[in-house]
Amino acid sequence: MIMRFLTRIKSLQALEAAARHGSFVGAASELDVTPAAVGQLVRSLEDWIGCPLFKRSRSGRERLTPTEEAREALSDITHGLDLLEAGLKTLKGRKARSIVVITASQALVANWLLSRLNDFTSAYPDIDVRLDVSDRVMDLTQGDADIAIRCGMGTWKGVKATYLMDEEIIAVCRQRLLPSRGKVDANWIATQTLIHDGSGHPEGDFPTWEKWLTQAGVAEVPTDHGFSINSAAAVIQGAVAGRGVALVRKKLVASEIESGQLVHLLPDQRWPVKWAYYVVATNKALRRYEVNAFHDWLTTKIALLPENTLSEI
C-alpha cells in the first residue's frame, strides 16, 4: 500500500514559496495569507520532519536560506506541485484554456510582436495570450507576468534569459521630408529637425545624434537641434508623422520601412548596439506548458524568420 502525505500540501507550498522569496512576507503575499500563517506551516513541517528547514538571519534582503536538506528536496517538491496543478487542469477538462501573460515594452509590442502573434495563436489555439504592455522591467519572480521580451544586456537576476536577436540603430524619416533635388547625406540630415530618444539605454552604447553625425563625417554637429522624447515608441510615432529625422532601433521599424511609411537613411552608416533582445522567464514558469510553448515558438521559429526586405535610400 502506498501512503501519501498529501495532508502536508499547504506546508509544502509554504516551504517552496518561502524558499523562492527568501522570506515569509514574500511567500505570504503570493499565497494570500499572513506571514505568521506561512511561518506556522513551515514550523509544523519542521516539527514533523524533526530538523530545521531554513537558516534564519535578522538582516538582509533574503532572511531565510534553505538548509542543505531542504535544498535537496525542493526540486522534487516544486516539480510535484507543478504536476498537481497540471493534474487539476486535466480534471477540469479539455474546455479549460491555458493562459500565458507576456510583458514587453510599448515599442516592441506595437512595432514587432503584435504582427506575429497570429502565427502563435494558429499554432496553439488552446492557449490564450494576454499582453501586459509596460516600459518598466516587471518582476517575473513575483508573478507579475509569465514571460517577457526584453532588450538589454541579458543579465537580469533570478530568471533565464534566452537570446532572441541583436539590434542596431538607424536613421529614418518620412519620404515626404526628402529633398526633391540634391543628395541625401549626413550634412543634409544635420540641417533637419532631429528627434532625440531620451528614454535612456544604460551600457547599451546607443548613439546620440551628436555621436552618429560625427561618425558620419559632419564637421559641425548641432547639439541641441530638434526635440527630445522619453519614449522609444513615441520617437517612432514622431518619425512616422513626419515631425523630423529619428534614430531608432532597426527591428522596431522593419514593417514601417517595408510599407514605405519610413525611409532608412544612409544604410551604410552602421551602429550595432551592445543590447540585444531576450526571451525571459523563471525556471518555474517554463515548466508550465503554455509558457514553454510560447518560449519555444519565439526562440525556434520567430528568431529564424528572415527579415523583411527593407526600403532604403
Side-chain angles (χ1 to χ4, degrees), residues 78-100:
T78 301
H79 184 57
L81 291 173
D82 290 341
L83 287 176
L84 283 172
E85 185 176 0
L88 287 173
K89 287 183 178 180
T90 301
L91 284 175
K92 194 174 179 181
R94 293 190 177 185
K95 291 183 179 179
R97 297 178 60 81
S98 299
I99 298 172
V100 58

Side-chain angles (χ1 to χ4, degrees), residues 124-145:
Y124 297 92
D126 59 326
I127 299 177
D128 287 335
V129 172
R130 293 182 183 175
L131 294 176
D132 194 323
V133 182
S134 176
D135 288 333
R136 71 180 180 89
V137 177
M138 301 184 72
D139 190 350
L140 299 181
T141 64
Q142 298 295 323
D144 291 347

Side-chain angles (χ1 to χ4, degrees), residues 230-242:
N230 66 346
S231 163
V235 168
I236 294 171
Q237 292 169 1
V240 170

